[in-house]
Amino acid sequence: MAEIIQKDGTWTFDGDAVRIVPGRDKGVGLLRQTLGEVVVPLRALAGVSYEPGRKTGRLRLKLRDGADPLLQVTGGRLPEASDPYRLTVEADRTGVAEYFVDEVRNALLLDQVDPGPADVYLLPGPAVPITVAAGDGTVAFDGDRVALDWNWTTEEAKSSGGPREFRITDLRTVEWSPSKGLDNGWIRFTLAGAPAAPAPKYDPYTVELFGFKKDPLMALVAAAVAVRMPHPRGTSAPAEAATVRSAAPVPELAASAPEPTAPEDHDALLRRLRELGDLHQGGILTAEEFAAAKQAVLRRF
């Protein structure tokens, strides 16, 4: 098992999943604190990297496109402080961070995880029910129904129609955009068959965001809704396992993990060694990656 503990948070890798627990440092954003513990199964990973710096380094997980509903709805636009897949590492823990990277990379190689896009969500998304008040309104989602309510900052053209409520089955899309510069952000719900939406400040199915502290929390609402809708790359409804999210992710991981198997025989391990050798000779693996992966296989004999 590999583990790195920092003020920014704690990452643990047990060979099957990376468990991320946010820290309590002032640099930990409100989104990460609210999201809480995240368990990323190995099959959801596309890679891992460590970026050393003069004072602190950065440990980063790269997830497969489409594997995580939060990354799907935010599209790489989350601020660093809100990114759950980034960990600030003190300079004296560089060796631990590099060891963590090696362990995850070895596991990805040995399990031959496909780093390409996923056509189903592999993470369950934020817990529900969830309610967030930010910008000109409040969004509440219980796993089935979305409710929108307005406050004193809402344009009369929007608030005059009163609160809105609709079921997730009525939705065509949910979109989130952060505030940037002088441009406000928004979370927009588009109902099936609806005409083109007006500007966010006038749209009764959009909450406009003004760039304040709680704005990123609307991304959690968007992710909780998105994971219960058909996957954008898939053709079917969301998997049953993704429709209900408890606050504790450990039982879900256990339910989705394969049952323990008997130790691999020597022939299977020898085949893996030959495959690694072919990858090294073909220039796909560097000498260092090949040596590390080979040692990991040898330890399993």
Side-chain angles (χ1 to χ4, degrees), residues 4-274:
I4 181 166
I5 303 173
Q6 295 289 275
K7 291 185 295 183
D8 200 30
T10 299
W11 287 16
T12 306
F13 178 60
D14 62 3
D16 294 317
V18 177
R19 188 179 302 273
I20 299 171
V21 179
R24 298 183 179 180
D25 187 66
K26 62 181 180 180
V28 178
L30 183 59
L31 183 149
R32 289 174 59 198
Q33 296 173 16
T34 304
L35 181 60
E37 183 178 285
V38 177
V39 178
V40 184
L42 186 65
R43 64 195 178 103
L45 289 177
V48 60
S49 65
Y50 176 65
E51 305 160 4
R54 177 176 294 182
K55 293 184 178 180
T56 59
R58 294 288 186 274
L59 191 59
R60 296 183 187 273
L61 284 184
K62 178 176 174 55
L63 273 64
R64 296 170 60 190
D65 290 342
D68 178 25
L70 178 61
L71 295 184
Q72 182 69 32
V73 297
T74 56
R77 294 168 294 174
L78 278 176
E80 282 240 330
S82 298
D83 186 352
Y85 306 117
R86 172 200 60 79
L87 182 71
T88 300
V89 178
E90 299 297 327
D92 62 350
R93 305 302 287 169
T94 293
V96 179
E98 291 174 342
Y99 173 74
F100 190 95
V101 168
D102 288 342
E103 288 295 292
V104 175
R105 285 180 176 172
N106 289 343
L108 290 171
L109 283 170
L110 291 174
D111 283 32
Q112 299 181 356
V113 174
D114 179 6
D119 57 7
V120 294
Y121 289 120
L122 302 176
L123 276 77
V128 294
I130 182 171
T131 301
V132 174
D136 69 352
T138 298
V139 183
F141 178 54
D142 62 5
D144 178 46
R145 293 182 180 273
V146 179
L148 308 180
D149 203 358
W150 314 113
N151 58 38
W152 66 273
T153 67
T154 312
E155 286 284 334
E156 185 177 355
K158 180 192 292 189
S159 62
S160 60
R164 302 283 173 160
E165 183 174 310
F166 46 89
R167 300 190 66 177
I168 194 170
T169 51
D170 299 326
L171 275 177
R172 187 174 76 219
T173 61
V174 55
E175 302 169 276
W176 175 86
S177 181
S179 302
K180 186 176 182 181
L182 298 178
D183 296 329
N184 290 337
W186 36 262
I187 179 171
R188 170 179 286 140
F189 301 92
T190 304
L191 274 61
K201 67 187 302 180
Y202 303 117
D203 184 1
Y205 294 97
T206 299
V207 172
E208 188 176 28
L209 306 174
F210 305 139
F212 297 127
K213 183 179 179 181
K214 288 188 176 180
D215 282 10
L217 296 184
M218 284 297 185
L220 296 182
V221 177
V225 172
V227 79
R228 291 164 174 82
M229 297 175 65
H231 193 282
R233 290 192 182 88
T235 57
S236 59
E240 183 178 351
T243 59
V244 179
R245 165 73 150 90
S246 70
V250 177
E252 296 176 1
L253 179 63
S256 62
E259 294 184 1
T261 58
E264 296 178 85
D265 60 33
H266 284 196
D267 288 342
L269 293 172
L270 287 171
R271 283 196 299 272
R272 290 200 179 190
L273 284 175
R274 285 194 292 269

Side-chain angles (χ1 to χ4, degrees), residues 109 112 274-286 290:
L109 283 170
Q112 299 181 356
R274 285 194 292 269
E275 291 169 357
L276 291 171
D278 292 340
L279 292 172
H280 175 48
Q281 291 180 3
I284 298 174
L285 294 181
T286 65
F290 171 65

